[in-house]
Amino acid sequence: MALPVASLLRVTTWASLQFCFEDTLFSLKPCRNNTTRWLDVLCGHALLGLGLLERVVKEATVTVRRLAKRIEFAQWTKRRWMGRTDRQSRDQKMQSGRDHVMDQRGVRFARFVPVPVPAVIELRMKLEILEATVAALRAALDGEQLTSVELTQFYLDRIEALNHDGPGLHAVIETNPDALALAAAADSERSSMLSSGGRVPPLHGIPVLVKDNVATLDAMQTSAGSWVLVGSQVPRDAFAVARLRKAGAVLLGKANLSQWSNWRTGQTAPNGWSSRGGQTRNPFDLAGEVSGSSSGSAVAASANLAAITIGSETDGSIVCPAKLNGVVGIKPTVGLVSRSGVIPISHTQDSLGPITRTVADAAAVLDAIIGPDERDALSVTINANRPSLQPYTSLLDANPRALQGLRIGFAVKLGNEASQNAVKVLEQLGATVVEIEFPDVGGYPNDGNELTILRFDFKQDINTYLSELTNTKIKTLDDIIAAAAADSRENIYPSPEHEQSNATTDPSDPVYQTALAVQLRDSREAGIDLVLARDKLDAILGDPDLLCGPSAMAGYPVISVPAPSPEWKPRAVGFMGGAYSDGVLLKCAYAYEQATKARKMPEFHTVVKTVTTTKSILKSQSQTKSGESKSLITTRTITTTSYEPISFIELSLMCHLRDGSSSDLRNDWHQKSSR
């Protein structure tokens, strides 16, 4: 009489008990003249009925729990991927071209495939990893809500789903084959530290992606996105990587970049392209500009492919991608973070810095990677002269009047709409914002002095870097040029930066010395330092795209932070200051961030239709001498592009399905994204 589990799931508890009762009566009929037999049968069926009831209750409980998890998972994904506002409008936009069903709770399910309940859902119920800050992740790790292995696996799965499959972001050039082993070691080490009452380092167990021009002494390549350096062996970790390891971070992989940090393909290739990594794509607009050269680092941070990322900047390569990809990026004072172990462009202007989703995370990473390094003489000088050794995280203040007493300058020619709107916000935070005049200090790509410096520096610095590599025949810039010329993969976007650099002499050349002196004078004494002193300013507000040039030439810090945007494309404001003003810039950016909460998660919009129309417009009418009417008509071409976001359910499927059932969905996205 016992029912199988499958039957129990198809009937109600009442129906099951009714079946048991009827079967009991049927079994008792032959026993009505035998009291003992009747009692035995009655007791037996009673026990069987109780067992059935218990079984039904257990199965029902399990089913309800699973259903609750499905509903909670769907609601969580909807909240994250579709936002909390304008849901009805988004639903209408997303309805076209898809077959969905909406249940009474407003949860969207796709007809073509059931909502998955992956094993990692248990983890997600405990903690929303997406958009989680370093502090939140650290608290979860210390509280044993989460392990570093689970966190690392989450990001590895997400990279697998979104990097080459799905929207094809191409933000990660390779993942670390030892990442899970490093995470397991971090879990073990943290357990020992906590049990013994020891202090756990601030980034302990946190997965990080570093740009592919930052050396790691492990199984990963360090290639600047080029096939030329694949197989070469670096002598040691870059100083910043060693500091990350010391802080307990888990090296998750290498981020894609504009090849050679835009110093070979910069005049011809699109930003974010490298021969090894392909074309990095903006997660907000898959067909749009991604900026560079730290494209992969910015996209990976924005798309939640890692908790934190590291980029490098010579002129705009951190703050410009951060702006377009809706994340925080800070280029610190040049020399504050050592450049040793980084494939260089210029020791005069190169700097490493964090790209993260929040200012607090950027401050935490910067605290971890700064410090003097004997292999970078400038880092020794800069760190020795720091006016304060106070951690940058301690300067962040969420008080509504956090900027009381600060004076911030705003130059209209260095601003944009977002920075103009930021003036009122900063004043509400207690800052005094004054309009200023900022001198023209030149800058790349039109400034001859900066280009001269970069060309001279690159030849000297790259030869020094290459001289320490082993397991490679590439030892000089001449070797790079020859190897690239012989490899068709390297010549898709030929550009002359390497050849122009190779034509320079040495730093003693008067041409170089003059260019360097003029640039430092114009950008410092007659530029940023002059304005800060004249107007008694603590920082300068503006567009990150326009602030990065002066700060790059001067070697001073600059930061980009997301700003409110009326549309799905991100906006940003920037803050620039003098030498060692990193803490002030972080303070300004943090207060602004907390006041606006402008960071948005990307929705991977893709072009679905582009329509070009030509419209004739009557400009004027006149009469000829004969009295005839003559009309002057102009034509205007208007191109309208329609975008569509990836639905929350499709994205969750791409992130979690690990079998053949996801292949059609992924193929569909490759076709859609290529339209």
Side-chain angles (χ1 to χ4, degrees):
M1 190 197 75
L3 294 175
V5 173
S7 298
L8 289 174
L9 294 177
R10 289 196 295 266
V11 296
T12 65
T13 303
W14 169 250
S16 299
L17 294 175
Q18 185 179 23
F19 177 87
C20 181
F21 179 73
E22 291 173 352
D23 186 74
T24 302
L25 293 178
F26 178 79
S27 300
L28 288 175
K29 285 180 181 180
C31 305
R32 56 181 178 269
N33 296 323
N34 188 330
T35 306
T36 304
R37 176 61 177 160
W38 189 89
L39 289 173
D40 288 341
V41 172
L42 179 61
C43 291
H45 279 267
L47 292 174
L48 191 59
L50 290 174
L52 173 62
L53 178 60
E54 181 183 9
R55 196 168 177 181
V56 168
V57 170
K58 285 183 178 179
E59 289 294 336
T61 302
V62 171
T63 302
V64 169
R65 285 177 179 172
R66 287 176 179 169
L67 181 60
K69 288 179 180 179
R70 286 170 182 255
I71 294 171
E72 189 171 358
F73 176 67
Q75 291 173 335
W76 168 83
T77 316
K78 181 182 179 72
R79 185 171 67 252
R80 276 301 182 189
W81 290 110
M82 297 183 66
R84 297 175 173 82
T85 60
D86 199 19
R87 293 182 181 179
Q88 184 177 2
S89 174
R90 289 175 188 243
D91 284 345
Q92 292 172 352
K93 292 178 182 178
M94 292 164 56
Q95 188 67 31
S96 176
R98 291 189 174 87
D99 187 16
H100 290 98
V101 61
M102 190 75 72
D103 72 0
Q104 294 179 351
R105 293 173 299 277
V107 180
R108 179 185 295 276
F109 294 92
R111 290 185 189 276
F112 52 81
V113 68
V115 179
V117 186
V120 79
I121 193 172
E122 303 291 347
L123 167 63
R124 292 194 167 192
M125 290 305 128
K126 297 177 183 177
L127 176 72
E128 292 185 355
I129 298 178
L130 293 177
E131 299 293 288
T133 64
V134 168
L137 292 173
R138 287 288 309 112
L141 290 168
D142 289 350
E144 298 183 348
Q145 295 174 276
L146 176 67
T147 67
S148 185
V149 169
E150 290 172 325
L151 183 60
T152 302
Q153 186 64 61
F154 170 83
Y155 287 125
L156 289 173
D157 287 347
R158 195 164 170 81
I159 290 169
E160 181 181 339
L162 302 181
N163 194 58
H164 294 291
D165 291 334
L169 298 178
H170 291 273
V172 181
I173 206 165
E174 67 178 306
T175 54
N176 187 358
D178 300 323
L180 289 174
L182 293 172
D187 286 335
S188 176
E189 184 180 46
R190 182 172 57 258
S191 178
S192 299
M193 290 178 179
L194 292 174
S195 61
S196 62
R199 177 181 173 273
V200 180
L203 301 181
H204 199 274
I206 303 296
V208 56
L209 285 168
V210 299
K211 191 174 177 180
D212 187 41
N213 64 342
V214 182
T216 56
L217 186 58
D218 52 23
M220 293 187 289
Q221 303 289 334
T222 303
S223 69
S226 171
W227 291 103
V228 170
L229 292 182
V230 170
S232 63
Q233 181 66 56
V234 298
R236 65 190 74 85
D237 281 334
F239 180 83
V241 170
R243 299 284 288 186
L244 286 170
R245 291 192 196 273
K246 184 177 180 180
V250 174
L251 290 182
L252 186 65
K254 294 290 185 75
N256 199 9
L257 71 166
S258 302
Q259 186 163 308
W260 292 104
S261 298
N262 259 343
W263 196 248
R264 182 173 184 270
T265 57
Q267 297 181 27
T268 56
N271 283 315
W273 179 88
S274 72
S275 58
R276 274 193 70 211
Q279 179 61 56
T280 308
R281 306 176 78 185
N282 187 319
F284 287 91
D285 179 1
L286 296 176
E289 174 60 55
V290 70
S291 193
S293 63
S294 301
S295 318
S297 300
V299 170
S302 185
N304 285 267
L305 303 186
I308 52 179
T309 69
I310 300 295
S312 69
E313 176 164 327
T314 304
D315 189 334
S317 289
I318 289 177
V319 296
C320 294
K323 170 189 172 182
L324 288 187
N325 293 283
V327 286
V328 175
I330 180 170
K331 185 214 79 174
T333 299
V334 173
L336 194 62
V337 180
S338 170
R339 288 82 49 85
S340 71
V342 180
I343 298 176
I345 292 180
S346 164
H347 64 270
T348 304
Q349 295 185 194
D350 286 352
S351 184
L352 286 183
I355 301 179
T356 59
R357 290 180 290 276
T358 69
V359 177
D361 288 354
V365 175
L366 194 58
D367 280 332
I369 62 176
I370 61 175
D373 175 19
E374 61 182 12
R375 291 188 175 89
D376 183 354
L378 182 61
S379 75
V380 176
T381 302
I382 292 295
N383 281 277
N385 294 329
R386 279 181 64 194
S388 172
L389 299 180
Q390 188 176 6
Y392 292 120
T393 50
S394 67
L395 302 176
L396 309 183
D397 186 357
N399 189 297
R401 302 289 289 177
L403 303 185
Q404 188 74 42
L406 292 184
R407 283 176 60 87
I408 299 174
F410 175 61
V412 175
K413 73 175 186 177
L414 294 180
N416 55 8
E417 183 179 354
S419 55
Q420 289 176 339
N421 294 337
V423 170
K424 185 176 181 180
V425 176
L426 297 173
E427 289 176 339
Q428 291 172 345
L429 289 167
T432 300
V433 182
V434 296
E435 188 169 328
I436 61 171
E437 290 294 327
F438 195 86
D440 184 6
V441 297
Y444 177 83
N446 302 315
D447 183 81
N449 290 322
E450 186 176 13
L451 282 174
T452 296
I453 293 167
L454 299 186
R455 287 168 182 162
F456 272 85
D457 281 355
F458 181 72
K459 181 178 181 180
Q460 305 303 315
D461 296 344
I462 194 63
N463 285 340
T464 300
Y465 175 85
L466 295 173
S467 67
E468 289 194 290
L469 298 183
T470 57
N471 196 40
T472 180
K473 296 179 180 179
I474 307 299
K475 294 295 182 180
T476 65
L477 181 54
D478 285 319
D479 296 334
I480 291 176
I481 294 171
D487 191 335
S488 59
R489 296 171 296 182
E490 296 290 306
N491 292 294
I492 298 175
Y493 296 106
S495 193
E497 287 91 347
H498 282 188
E499 288 77 7
Q500 291 170 344
S501 296
N502 207 33
T504 62
T505 55
D506 59 72
S508 63
D509 191 317
V511 173
Y512 175 77
Q513 294 294 329
T514 300
L516 182 60
V518 171
Q519 175 170 295
L520 293 179
R521 181 199 65 200
D522 289 350
S523 61
R524 292 181 180 181
E525 291 92 336
I528 297 173
D529 292 342
L530 171 67
V531 173
L532 292 175
R534 180 192 66 201
D535 297 315
K536 298 180 175 58
L537 303 176
D538 297 287
I540 297 171
L541 168 70
D543 182 344
D545 286 341
L546 300 176
L547 297 179
C548 64
S551 64
M553 293 185 291
Y556 291 167
V558 61
I559 190 170
S560 176
V561 61
S565 174
E567 55 181 3
W568 46 266
K569 291 185 179 181
R571 294 184 179 182
V573 301
F575 295 93
M576 174 178 69
Y580 304 109
S581 65
D582 309 76
V584 173
L585 302 190
L586 286 164
K587 183 183 179 78
C588 293
Y590 181 76
Y592 176 80
E593 174 193 61
Q594 296 304 301
T596 58
K597 302 289 186 182
R599 156 71 183 165
K600 296 179 180 179
M601 283 189 66
E603 293 181 316
F604 307 94
H605 286 76
T606 185
V607 176
V608 293
K609 184 180 8 178
T610 300
V611 178
T612 302
T613 57
T614 302
K615 186 176 182 181
S616 298
I617 302 173
L618 179 63
K619 189 172 182 180
S620 63
Q621 281 188 329
S622 61
Q623 285 190 336
T624 62
K625 292 181 179 180
S626 61
E628 296 178 353
S629 177
K630 183 178 180 181
S631 301
L632 178 61
I633 297 177
T634 62
T635 59
R636 179 183 300 168
T637 300
I638 303 172
T639 300
T640 304
T641 302
S642 299
Y643 292 87
E644 183 180 45
I646 296 181
S647 73
F648 78 94
I649 189 64
E650 288 179 322
L651 193 60
S652 64
L653 288 170
M654 285 186 288
C655 289
H656 298 299
L657 289 184
R658 283 292 171 267
D659 53 30
S661 61
S662 63
S663 60
D664 292 340
L665 182 62
R666 291 173 176 173
N667 291 336
D668 176 62
W669 261 103
H670 283 302
Q671 293 171 7
K672 181 189 297 183
S673 300
S674 63
R675 282 185 291 191

